[in-house]
Amino acid sequence: DISAAGAMDEFRKAYPKRFINTGVAEQIMIGMAAGMAMRGLKPFAYTIATFALFRPYEFVRDDLCYQNLPVTVIGVGGGVTYSQLGGTHHAMEDVALACSIPNMRVIAPCDPYETEQATRWCAAQEEGPVYLRLGKAGEPILASDILPWEFGKLRMLRGGSDTCVLGYGPILKLALDVPGLAVASVHTLKPLDRVGITRILLDYKRVVVLEEMVPHGGLADAVKGLAYDVGANCRIRSLTLKDEFIHVYGTHADVLAAHGLTREGLRARI
């Protein structure tokens, strides 16, 4: 059922020998991808984020990361994007899980431009496994005429005076909707751009971390730890999903609002 939803049918028709639909057999999908990588191929294993990472977690850990194979695991619907399908389809803790596995690199683009650049990088790299966390479809391009995308380096989407928002994924549009804020896309979550984030911690009076993820084990924790390490004096606030399964079934914006992820919530943190 994923093929039609993810517009994979066009790829299947154009490249029938390069497309395998395993159905809802995610553990087999990861195991197959590992075997293909061991024979010199560069597989992309694609499905909804909860089923790309949670259900086959042991296979991702042992078949891909333990073997350090160049397989890209694509999780579509990061965060609570699949709002109407409930908690079983909400990838609220995927970043923390993926970042905790040795050898795994983690990328979460903020818009279609970053997604294309990250995909091209994944197709070319041979160093090991990658978790590529995406939204769903139809997200706007937030910024394409500024700094080029580079793996492991944050991108400043917009400059500002005394407050900077650090984040990743389509949720960054919330920050861009608030005038006067500097906004940085920390698209590579592992390895983290410690140099770039340190520069922001030292240059801005206030830093807000915005992420569609649970409050533990994500960018917010990493930024606060780095701030302590470098002795930063800026004021740091975070705006994340709540540490709860919230039973709200509606639009993506409805579920985000139930978690407090709104422009008003962002202003309150500032």
Side-chain angles (χ1 to χ4, degrees), residues 93-128:
E93 63 274 39
D94 58 333
V95 169
L97 284 174
C99 285
S100 69
I101 313 175
N103 290 332
M104 179 68 88
R105 277 82 51 79
V106 180
I107 305 173
C110 71
D111 65 4
Y113 168 77
E114 287 194 351
T115 299
E116 178 179 350
Q117 302 306 309
T119 302
R120 292 182 180 277
W121 182 86
C122 289
Q125 69 90 24
E126 299 180 347
E127 297 176 12

Side-chain angles (χ1 to χ4, degrees), residues 10 32-33 49 70 75 87 89 116 195 210 218 221 255 259 267:
E10 296 178 15
M32 288 174 61
H89 286 59
E116 178 179 350
V195 173
L210 176 64
D221 282 353
V255 180
H259 281 275
R267 289 193 181 101

Side-chain angles (χ1 to χ4, degrees), residues 73-104:
V73 178
I74 300 180
V76 66
V80 294
T81 303
Y82 281 96
S83 54
Q84 296 174 328
L85 299 183
T88 57
H89 286 59
H90 294 173
M92 303 190 302
E93 63 274 39
D94 58 333
V95 169
L97 284 174
C99 285
S100 69
I101 313 175
N103 290 332
M104 179 68 88

Side-chain angles (χ1 to χ4, degrees), residues 12 14 27 38 58 74 87 126 144 150 155 185 193 195 226-227 234 248 253:
R12 179 186 64 82
Q27 294 166 331
M38 293 178 75
E58 183 182 10
I74 300 180
E126 299 180 347
S144 61
E150 182 180 354
R155 291 176 73 230
S185 172
D193 183 3
V195 173
L226 182 57
C234 62
V248 172

Side-chain angles (χ1 to χ4, degrees), residues 184-254:
S185 172
V186 189
H187 49 75
T188 303
L189 294 161
K190 183 184 177 184
L192 199 64
D193 183 3
R194 294 175 62 88
V195 173
I197 294 175
T198 296
R199 188 180 306 115
I200 287 173
L201 291 171
L202 298 178
D203 288 348
Y204 288 87
K205 295 179 181 178
R206 290 185 295 271
V207 172
V208 180
V209 181
L210 176 64
E211 58 181 330
E212 195 172 337
M213 226 274 295
V214 293
H216 312 296
L219 181 62
D221 282 353
V223 169
K224 292 172 184 176
L226 182 57
Y228 178 84
D229 290 343
V230 301
N233 293 318
C234 62
R235 185 175 181 180
I236 301 175
R237 294 289 183 268
S238 59
L239 184 58
T240 69
L241 295 175
K242 295 179 180 179
D243 189 19
E244 302 175 24
F245 287 109
I246 295 180
H247 296 270
V248 172
Y249 302 89
T251 65
H252 188 197
D254 290 337

